[in-house]
Amino acid sequence: SRPPCADLRKQARQLENELDLKLVSFSKLCTSYSSTRDGRRDRYSSDTTPLLNGSSQDRMFETMAVEIEQLLGKLTGINDKMAEYTNSAGVPSLNAALMHTLQRHRDILQDYTHEFHKTKANFLAIRERENLLGSVRKDIESYKSGSGVNNRRTELFLKEHEHLRNSDRLIEETISIAMATKENMTSQRGMLKSIQSKMNTLANRFPAVNSLIQRINLRKRRDSLILGGIIGICTILLLLYAFH
């Protein structure tokens, strides 16, 4: 009888081949979906026909996505069973070969899963964009088909809204200028206070300096008088001694 691992590898290869075909068809479907939407956008550039109408492509996408997810789930289960068998294998060389095979199947599963999620995300992004564009075109068409009074009223509302936005912007600019002016005046007031404090300090110190200079001058005069008196006395004494 065939070993259990051989049967598991066979099932894994079958699922991988089936997944490969499904993913190719899935990718072609998404590419066709994008091309169809681009063609409709060019054809109906007059904004009179919606881009999306619940087409069969959307239903086919949902069906294929479910089928691929089921196949990925089955392949994941097969890989888990192979991992359990590999861990329970007794022969070291056989175990190493099984581990290599299991790793290869895991890499394939990871690549298929990544490709599926990437293709699905691109499809959903295109569909969301088209739904948004269809909604915008619907709003524009509704606006164009409205009465002249409603259009005029809408234009007035839009102009009033723009005036309000401009007024808000001017108010914000005025507030910014006022805040900057306030900060500048506060800084200048601080500088003036510092200068005034230094001037007061110097003014308070000048009288003391003048008084000190005056005292020094008086002491110099006194010393000069004393020195002159001593010189005069010495001169008189020398003359008396000379004529004695």
Side-chain angles (χ1 to χ4, degrees), residues 2 5-15 82 105:
R2 293 168 58 88
C5 189
D7 293 335
L8 292 175
R9 289 200 300 269
K10 181 179 179 181
Q11 296 177 24
R13 286 194 295 270
Q14 290 176 351
L15 288 172
M82 285 193 292
H105 285 294

Side-chain angles (χ1 to χ4, degrees), residues 36-52:
T36 302
R37 292 308 180 269
D38 292 339
R40 287 185 180 182
R41 219 175 4 254
D42 295 336
R43 181 180 178 185
Y44 300 111
S45 58
S46 60
D47 300 333
T48 58
T49 303
L51 294 178
L52 293 179

Side-chain angles (χ1 to χ4, degrees), residues 108-127:
I108 294 174
L109 173 61
Q110 183 177 2
D111 292 340
Y112 285 164
T113 303
H114 176 72
E115 182 180 354
F116 168 68
H117 288 302
K118 181 180 179 181
T119 305
K120 182 179 179 181
N122 290 337
F123 184 94
L124 294 176
I126 293 172
R127 188 167 66 180

Side-chain angles (χ1 to χ4, degrees), residues 3 15 18 23 38 41 47 61 68 70 73 101 104 114 124-125 130 134 143 147 190 204-205 207 217 227 241:
L15 288 172
E18 190 173 355
L23 287 172
D38 292 339
R41 219 175 4 254
D47 300 333
F61 167 80
I68 293 174
Q70 291 175 352
T101 302
R104 184 173 62 84
H114 176 72
L124 294 176
E130 296 300 335
Y143 172 77
S147 62
N204 292 331
R205 288 182 179 179
N217 292 331
L227 182 60
Y241 179 78

Side-chain angles (χ1 to χ4, degrees), residues 17 23 41-42 70 73 80-81 96 108 124 138 147 156 168-169 173 190 193 196 217 219 221 239:
N17 292 334
L23 287 172
R41 219 175 4 254
D42 295 336
Q70 291 175 352
D80 293 339
K81 290 180 180 179
I108 294 174
L124 294 176
K138 184 177 179 181
S147 62
L156 292 176
D168 291 340
R169 185 170 62 253
E173 292 178 357
K193 284 185 177 181
Q196 184 179 3
N217 292 331
R219 186 169 296 178
R221 291 178 182 178
L239 289 174

Side-chain angles (χ1 to χ4, degrees), residues 5-220:
C5 189
D7 293 335
L8 292 175
R9 289 200 300 269
K10 181 179 179 181
Q11 296 177 24
R13 286 194 295 270
Q14 290 176 351
L15 288 172
E16 288 168 358
N17 292 334
E18 190 173 355
L19 269 169
D20 186 64
L21 295 175
K22 288 286 186 182
L23 287 172
V24 171
S25 301
F26 193 62
S27 179
K28 289 181 179 179
L29 174 65
C30 295
T31 303
S32 175
Y33 184 91
S34 177
S35 301
T36 302
R37 292 308 180 269
D38 292 339
R40 287 185 180 182
R41 219 175 4 254
D42 295 336
R43 181 180 178 185
Y44 300 111
S45 58
S46 60
D47 300 333
T48 58
T49 303
L51 294 178
L52 293 179
N53 53 2
S55 65
S56 59
Q57 287 178 316
D58 297 326
R59 294 191 296 271
M60 189 179 299
F61 167 80
E62 299 294 341
T63 302
M64 292 187 66
V66 172
E67 293 176 355
I68 293 174
E69 288 176 351
Q70 291 175 352
L71 290 174
L72 290 173
K74 291 179 180 179
L75 185 57
T76 301
I78 296 297
N79 285 341
D80 293 339
K81 290 180 180 179
M82 285 193 292
E84 294 177 359
Y85 180 81
T86 302
N87 294 331
S88 63
V91 182
S93 60
L94 179 62
N95 189 33
L98 292 176
M99 288 294 294
H100 177 74
T101 302
L102 175 61
Q103 184 60 43
R104 184 173 62 84
H105 285 294
R106 283 178 173 174
D107 293 340
I108 294 174
L109 173 61
Q110 183 177 2
D111 292 340
Y112 285 164
T113 303
H114 176 72
E115 182 180 354
F116 168 68
H117 288 302
K118 181 180 179 181
T119 305
K120 182 179 179 181
N122 290 337
F123 184 94
L124 294 176
I126 293 172
R127 188 167 66 180
E128 182 179 357
R129 183 189 62 188
E130 296 300 335
N131 283 328
L132 179 61
L133 290 176
S135 176
V136 172
R137 283 173 170 79
K138 184 177 179 181
D139 292 340
I140 293 175
E141 185 62 26
S142 176
Y143 172 77
K144 288 182 177 180
S145 62
S147 62
V149 176
N150 291 333
N151 291 340
R152 178 60 179 172
R153 184 177 300 173
T154 303
E155 291 178 0
L156 292 176
F157 285 154
L158 291 175
K159 289 182 179 180
E160 185 66 22
H161 178 67
E162 185 67 21
H163 289 328
L164 291 175
R165 289 183 59 186
N166 293 333
S167 299
D168 291 340
R169 185 170 62 253
L170 291 175
I171 292 173
E172 291 178 357
E173 292 178 357
T174 303
I175 292 174
S176 299
I177 294 173
M179 293 295 295
T181 304
K182 179 183 177 182
E183 293 178 357
N184 191 13
M185 292 182 65
T186 303
S187 177
Q188 291 181 1
R189 184 175 62 183
M191 293 176 61
L192 291 174
K193 284 185 177 181
S194 177
I195 294 174
Q196 184 179 3
S197 177
K198 291 181 180 180
M199 292 294 293
N200 292 333
T201 302
L202 292 175
N204 292 331
R205 288 182 179 179
F206 275 138
V209 173
N210 291 332
S211 177
L212 179 61
I213 293 174
Q214 290 178 359
R215 287 199 298 269
I216 292 173
N217 292 331
L218 291 175
R219 186 169 296 178
K220 286 176 65 178

